[in-house]
Amino acid sequence: MPASPSTARAINDRLALRLLQQDGPLTATQLKTLTGLSRPTVADLVERLRGAGLIQVVGESGAVRRGPNAKLYGIVADRAHLAALDVRLGSVSVVVTDLLGTTLAEDSLPIGSDTGTEPAVERAAALLERTARAAGPVPLHSVGIGAPGLIDPGTGELRDSSGLPAWHRGLVRELQRRLPATVLVENETNLAAVAEHREGAAHDRETFVLLWLGQGIGAAVMLDGKLRQGASGGAGEIGFLPVPGVSGLPSAVNCEGGFHSLAGSGALCELAAAHGLVDRGAVAEGQEEEAAAVDAVRAALEAGEAGEPFLKEVADRLALGSAAVVSVLDPGCVLLAGAVGHAGGAALAARVEERLATMSPLRTEVRAGSLGDGAVLRGALLAARDAAQDALFAPEG
């Protein structure tokens, strides 16, 4: 059945608002071109959106002939604020923006492994509240959270996972309890893939797999422009992938013996120590391993020929895990992200692509992520913005 007039108006208004949010400010003529709507229909929707306080005149297009079409329309960005959190094993980072993504305030806080669950939750929640106050008096509408672990596809909640701090789940529940805002949580690697797809190195790809190479190792699967979480939310748990070259096999509660033991930061530190790039005894487990692995990759790249043996072994290991993913999904593109992937850049990606080509008949491009370690925070912000889109930008009637 054809849409009713009110439904058609709502559809047109949402389309125009999305374009203004992503590409604005725009003139009425530009809106007409981008939406394919008639001039009278665009004029009507502009008046509706202005009357609802959703858009405003923000300037003029610079056209010689002045008139209604020369006015530039933009989103009322301070109608509400958005927040994003990147929750790591030992820290939390927060950013608060307006509706257009302009950063208004940001902060971060280390949370040691010896911190109790309740104090950790309170410190992280207080950090968000302080940052939101610093951004101004406008209330938070939506909060996006990126965290390690599995998200239950039925409830949207962070599942209890062994090896992950209990305060992660406690923080999500506490924010949902104390904030009037919408609070959303998603796996950190999935959010990084969303950010790289919309704004980063995979902007021209509808199908790809992102490998997150950091303290841990994970993957995100984007097929036909849609993130795939799997039946239980565990798609991309590549750290548990059994691979040759490690002792033993992973278990249901421990990824030791899986791909994590071959390409996680701890494993790369061991490899770097064997090549004289790291003093393994001086590097503690956890975040220090990630930093040491990043430094080793950068040092090897700067060393030229002397760094090639280490880089070759790193590429071999990454290609091994990538080949398993490629043989099942045939994504056409693998993105190396996270701190280690960002450090390796295009040079490491090229080595992995070359090695992968010898292991798989499926042609696969390997790229380096362009958003670096900030991809998770950016993805969480995009999730918050998407949540606000329908709620705030739904004209009444």
Side-chain angles (χ1 to χ4, degrees), residues 297 301 308 311 315 336 341-354 368:
V297 169
L301 288 170
E308 279 303 316
L311 293 172
L336 305 183
H342 184 63
L348 179 59
R351 288 168 171 81
V352 175
E353 180 176 325
E354 180 180 4

Side-chain angles (χ1 to χ4, degrees), residues 208-246:
F208 67 95
V209 169
L210 178 142
L211 289 186
W212 184 263
L213 309 172
Q215 184 173 342
I217 190 164
V221 179
M222 185 77 71
L223 301 179
D224 299 323
K226 184 176 181 180
L227 191 66
R228 308 290 178 166
Q229 289 100 333
S232 63
E237 287 295 314
I238 197 173
F240 287 87
L241 178 72
V243 291
V246 296

Side-chain angles (χ1 to χ4, degrees), residues 155-234:
T155 65
E157 296 180 351
L158 188 63
R159 290 170 53 182
D160 187 14
S161 301
S162 61
L164 295 177
W167 66 266
H168 286 188
R169 294 187 71 208
L171 174 61
V172 175
R173 290 194 297 265
E174 179 64 13
L175 293 181
Q176 290 170 334
R177 184 190 68 81
R178 72 163 72 177
L179 295 178
T182 298
V183 178
L184 307 166
V185 61
E186 179 55 271
N187 173 268
E188 57 181 354
T189 305
N190 286 344
L191 288 178
V194 169
E196 291 285 2
H197 182 227
R198 295 221 201 151
E199 301 178 348
H203 69 278
D204 59 341
R205 288 279 186 173
E206 290 298 285
T207 295
F208 67 95
V209 169
L210 178 142
L211 289 186
W212 184 263
L213 309 172
Q215 184 173 342
I217 190 164
V221 179
M222 185 77 71
L223 301 179
D224 299 323
K226 184 176 181 180
L227 191 66
R228 308 290 178 166
Q229 289 100 333
S232 63

Side-chain angles (χ1 to χ4, degrees), residues 370-396:
S370 63
L371 300 181
D373 211 34
V376 175
L377 205 56
R378 188 61 193 166
L381 185 61
L382 289 170
R385 195 175 78 175
D386 286 349
Q389 179 82 36
D390 287 344
L392 289 177
F393 296 168
E396 297 179 2

